[in-house]
Amino acid sequence: MRHTIGEALKFQQHQRTAPRKSTGSTLPDIILHHYHTSPFSEKVRLILGYKRLAWQSVLIPQIMPKPDVVALTGGYRRTPFMQIGADIYCDTALICDELERRYPTPSLYPVEVPAGLVDTVAQWADNQLFWWGAIAYSFQSKAMAFIFDGVPAEIVKAFAADRAAMRAGAPRTPAADAAGMLRVYLQQIDSMLARTPWLLGQTPSLADFAAYHPLWFVRRITPLADILSSTQHVLPWMDRVAAMGHGTPAKLASADAIRIAHDTKPEAPAGEWHDEHGIAAGEPVTVTPLDYAFDPVAGDLVAATAKSYALRRFDERAGEVVVHFPRVGFKLEKAH
């Protein structure tokens, strides 16, 4: 299947059961801001399918400028992010936590597996497997020729400049080293699947979705996808994950998502205050990613739990919104 910049990939939705609609309940609608070829978006889309949820789909640009995104997030530019009313959730680790809190059945944390083990494998997959395996392997010359086949030169140039700004000069892994690392990771995953259908046992967990999306990206790059056949169990497992589908998405314009935020009050901050910085509630702060896309988001700190931060900010179009970040992978500072 063709995998190019600016071309929407078709994805087949395999419904396990009738979708469970979130519309009409006492809970707000889920709005996912994403684009079709985003690996981390695929992670969340499949979790929405696993939980059989209806959701609103806002397609966003793959590169800057993203004025509607900035209106909601205050500058956070990674994909995806989730909106529920006037609350904006950044980073898929936090999005998954929030979906699990609001929609706990079926759970991403099987009772027979320690939650800490699930989270540890998921963090490994989102970082080591994704960056040092899948992405390093995928961004080599013959893959780039496939991905950008038929794309106008000015779009290729803009994409390259956008991603270079996100990487901020970080060196790329040589193709041979990336291939070797990815093979090691595939063997590790394969060994986990040798006796059970899912990575951590008889039931899917967050670990499966986190490990799937980097390999989903590789699988769509035809010249490189054969590496996945080097193991016995990985491809059948990937097919089982993909069969969960994406729930029930409904298209929503980005302007309508901004209007929803403007017309909705953020939820009251929840969770015990956990101070590591000497910053009090209400103080102006910034939150910045630590690994890439170093775009700070400024606002007033309204929550600092053991796992997350929340900033209240105001936008002319979106009104009052609260933007949520996980602690892991992000830096909190007093605004200068």
Side-chain angles (χ1 to χ4, degrees):
M1 180 179 293
R2 178 60 65 197
H3 184 129
T4 59
I5 300 302
E7 183 179 55
L9 295 178
K10 295 179 181 179
F11 47 81
Q12 183 178 2
Q13 297 177 8
H14 302 272
Q15 298 301 319
R16 297 164 66 228
T17 63
R20 175 163 57 89
K21 290 185 177 293
S22 56
T23 303
S25 73
T26 57
L27 294 171
D29 287 341
I30 300 164
I31 304 173
L32 185 68
H33 298 254
H34 66 121
Y35 57 83
H36 292 302
T37 58
S38 160
F40 279 98
S41 296
E42 182 67 4
K43 172 187 173 183
V44 177
R45 290 188 295 251
L46 285 165
I47 288 172
L48 292 167
Y50 177 59
K51 289 182 175 290
R52 303 185 296 279
L53 293 170
W55 51 284
Q56 307 270 14
S57 168
V58 176
L59 293 179
I60 64 175
Q62 298 187 29
I63 63 175
M64 296 296 275
K66 303 181 182 183
D68 290 353
V69 169
V70 173
L72 291 167
T73 69
Y76 178 85
R77 57 174 297 183
R78 299 186 189 181
T79 306
F81 65 93
M82 183 176 73
Q83 174 187 352
I84 298 182
D87 285 272
I88 310 299
Y89 297 90
C90 301
D91 194 272
T92 59
L94 183 60
I95 291 170
C96 293
D97 281 349
E98 190 63 19
L99 288 173
E100 182 73 4
R101 183 182 74 84
R102 293 174 183 267
Y103 306 98
T105 305
S107 179
L108 297 173
Y109 295 88
V111 294
E112 67 271 19
V113 182
L117 177 59
V118 174
D119 284 335
T120 298
V121 175
Q123 288 168 2
W124 166 83
D126 281 346
N127 291 278
Q128 294 296 117
L129 176 62
F130 181 76
W131 288 112
W132 296 101
I135 294 303
Y137 175 71
S138 297
F139 280 77
Q140 54 182 282
S141 57
K142 66 178 178 179
M144 292 296 97
F146 176 80
I147 291 173
F148 291 103
D149 182 31
V151 178
E154 62 271 19
I155 295 179
V156 177
K157 184 177 180 180
F159 181 85
D162 182 84
R163 293 308 190 261
M166 293 178 72
R167 290 174 56 83
R172 293 196 179 277
T173 305
D177 297 288
M181 282 189 280
L182 182 56
R183 290 185 190 279
V184 171
Y185 295 151
L186 287 170
Q187 289 294 335
Q188 292 171 345
I189 293 171
D190 197 64
S191 70
M192 298 171 74
L193 296 166
R195 294 180 177 84
T196 60
W198 307 102
L199 291 183
L200 298 179
Q202 299 299 322
T203 307
S205 73
L206 177 62
D208 291 282
F209 299 102
Y212 173 87
H213 75 87
L215 305 184
W216 171 86
F217 187 77
V218 172
R219 195 175 191 179
R220 291 179 174 274
I221 304 175
T222 302
L224 301 182
D226 282 350
I227 195 171
L228 302 173
S229 301
S230 64
T231 57
Q232 179 180 356
H233 306 291
V234 169
L235 284 174
W237 162 77
M238 290 185 69
D239 291 339
R240 290 193 293 274
V241 177
M244 295 180 185
H246 296 149
T248 305
K251 292 182 180 179
L252 183 70
S254 59
D256 291 331
I258 292 173
R259 177 187 51 79
I260 289 170
H262 183 276
D263 295 345
T264 308
K265 297 291 288 185
E267 297 180 7
E272 182 179 351
W273 193 273
H274 189 88
D275 179 33
E276 298 282 358
H277 300 80
I279 300 175
E283 286 197 59
V285 298
T286 60
V287 172
T288 309
L290 286 168
D291 47 5
Y292 74 104
F294 306 104
D295 302 280
V297 175
D300 296 333
L301 187 65
V302 294
T305 72
K307 295 182 68 175
S308 64
Y309 307 117
L311 278 61
R312 177 177 285 111
R313 54 178 304 274
F314 296 87
D315 179 83
E316 182 178 347
R317 299 167 61 205
E320 178 188 355
V321 297
V322 171
V323 187
H324 303 257
F325 298 91
R327 279 186 182 263
V328 174
F330 290 81
K331 175 176 64 175
L332 175 70
E333 293 181 299
K334 290 184 179 180
H336 300 298

